[in-house]
Amino acid sequence: MKHNFVRSFAVTLVLSLVVSAIALAQRSRSASPVGQTPTLLSSLPPSDAVALINVNRVLDEALPKLLAENPAKLADVTSELAKFKTQTGLDPRSFDQIALGLNYKYPREGITTISTAVLARGTFNAGAIVAAGRLAANDKYAEQKYQGKTIYLFSLDQQIRLLGLWNLNVRDLAVTAVDGNTLALGNLDAVRSVIDANRTRKHANAELIALASRDPNAILGFGGNISPTLLENLSLSNDSIARELTAVRQVYGTLGMTSTDLELMLAARTVDTYSAKNLGDTVEGLKQFGALFINRLSAAKGTLARAALDNLKLTTVGNELQIRTVVAQSQVSPLMRGY
């Protein structure tokens, strides 16, 4: 499998976890159609995928629990959050929700890159946040006018240790205030696309938003379209799996957290019910095959993998394959010691 796409996607999610939260704001379980009740996600430009992350739960609930057995690492995370604020002027804890719109680009054969537009809303004054960023950049920024908005281009060109767990090189970041408490972040083209989308007031991505917003209490929710080019660039070595995946048109899922467990749900929408059943059979086979390799893993990884496989449930609903599993937080915590 080509690793460019995987690395880009991982970096996008990590960045979103640190500087933002994507949550379905002010929406009840009996959700109204997006067209009737616009959310922050509705202000994104047309996207190939959208994602929702509740950063308050990540920073205030998930990380403290998962790092409870590693107080030194938890202290390191807290320190790195403060350092990130000093370097960028952005306080991750001030963001209540964020909306991400991802667009896939194919610069050449076999390569997939991702352009991400970010909308962040929180308990802050957008103008003050931008001003803080300008100070943090130490004059390494430029201003550009576009459609009546001022875009600030920050040249950070430095390595930031996000959450005390991952290193990320940040070179250029474009930021603009969409309204009093909403920021748009990303590269210049992505921020311009956000401005265009909010200027025309044409809400895009209705179907993807509905997929990503199925569980308003989720820590993470996402929905995305799957194109033939995207699948080709994954270059899967297993012909059988590759053949089954060609029938997938959309994916979505959620990551939830209870007082004791982490809950994962993934779903794939295929072209028809026959394809969904075949994909389910393939995944069931992989489940049985994967059980053979658990004994090769370390004790902590093996315990987690065994629980995930034992609790894995496959359900076919029409043209959808739904995969659910649950693992105890206590089984995840030991793995955090090595980060």
Side-chain angles (χ1 to χ4, degrees):
M1 181 186 295
K2 299 290 185 181
H3 296 294
N4 300 63
F5 168 75
V6 177
R7 283 198 298 265
S8 298
F9 187 71
V11 166
T12 299
L13 289 182
V14 169
L15 181 59
S16 68
L17 284 170
V18 177
V19 302
S20 53
I22 312 174
L24 187 59
Q26 303 170 352
R27 183 182 178 111
S28 67
R29 286 187 178 273
S30 55
S32 301
V34 172
Q36 297 179 14
T37 309
T39 69
L40 187 60
L41 285 172
S42 304
S43 297
L44 287 169
S47 306
D48 294 312
V50 299
L52 305 171
I53 303 169
N54 187 329
V55 87
N56 289 325
R57 293 193 67 194
V58 169
L59 296 180
D60 298 335
E61 183 180 349
L63 281 178
K65 286 184 176 180
L66 296 178
L67 294 175
E69 298 182 15
N70 192 346
K73 177 59 67 176
L74 183 58
D76 191 22
V77 167
T78 302
S79 175
E80 289 299 327
L81 289 174
K83 183 178 179 181
F84 186 86
K85 178 181 177 181
T86 300
Q87 291 175 317
T88 67
L90 299 172
D91 183 0
R93 296 188 183 278
S94 70
F95 289 88
D96 293 330
Q97 56 183 350
I98 200 174
L100 281 82
L102 285 68
N103 279 291
Y104 310 134
K105 299 183 183 300
Y106 312 103
R108 59 185 183 276
E109 184 178 354
I111 300 297
T112 300
T113 61
I114 298 176
S115 174
T116 306
V118 181
L119 281 173
R121 180 180 293 160
T123 56
F124 56 80
N125 177 283
I129 288 288
V130 170
R134 290 161 58 187
L135 291 174
N138 194 24
D139 295 329
K140 292 183 179 180
Y141 74 95
E143 296 183 11
Q144 183 178 117
K145 296 291 184 181
Y146 183 75
Q147 303 289 9
K149 293 284 188 180
T150 301
I151 301 175
Y152 298 90
L153 304 171
F154 298 102
S155 298
L156 301 177
D157 195 17
Q158 58 187 294
Q159 188 176 80
I160 297 175
R161 194 162 178 240
L162 301 180
L163 290 183
L165 302 176
W166 300 277
N167 291 320
L168 179 65
N169 287 319
V170 180
R171 296 186 59 85
D172 300 304
L173 179 68
V175 181
T176 192
V178 178
D179 57 39
N181 64 341
T182 304
L183 292 175
L185 307 94
N187 61 36
L188 180 58
D189 289 341
V191 169
R192 283 178 172 176
S193 68
V194 170
I195 294 174
D196 289 336
N198 285 272
R199 183 169 177 267
T200 60
R201 299 295 180 182
K202 291 182 178 180
H203 299 308
N205 313 311
E207 188 174 7
L208 294 181
I209 291 172
L211 293 176
S213 306
R214 289 198 165 198
D215 182 1
N217 296 317
I219 289 179
L220 166 67
F222 70 91
N225 294 320
I226 303 297
S227 69
T229 304
L230 182 64
L231 290 174
E232 289 175 6
N233 284 358
L234 291 179
S235 299
L236 295 175
S237 58
N238 188 301
D239 292 338
S240 177
I241 296 176
R243 185 168 53 253
E244 300 298 343
L245 288 179
T246 58
V248 177
R249 293 295 178 266
Q250 290 179 318
V251 294
Y252 66 92
T254 59
L255 175 65
M257 189 173 190
T258 67
S259 59
T260 58
D261 300 326
L262 290 177
E263 302 173 333
L264 177 66
M265 189 283 285
L266 299 173
R269 282 186 171 178
T270 64
V271 294
D272 52 36
T273 56
Y274 177 77
S275 299
K277 182 182 182 304
N278 282 346
L279 182 60
D281 291 341
T282 299
V283 175
E284 183 65 40
L286 290 174
K287 174 184 175 181
Q288 301 300 325
F289 189 68
L292 300 175
F293 292 90
I294 289 180
N295 292 334
R296 299 183 183 182
L297 300 175
S298 64
K301 291 181 179 179
T303 298
L304 180 63
R306 186 173 292 105
L309 282 177
D310 289 344
N311 296 326
L312 193 69
K313 298 185 183 304
L314 305 178
T315 306
T316 302
V317 182
N319 67 330
E320 284 190 9
L321 171 65
Q322 298 178 359
I323 306 171
R324 290 180 170 83
T325 192
V326 177
V327 295
Q329 295 169 25
S330 59
Q331 294 170 327
V332 179
S333 296
L335 298 181
M336 304 298 289
R337 295 172 183 168
Y339 287 91

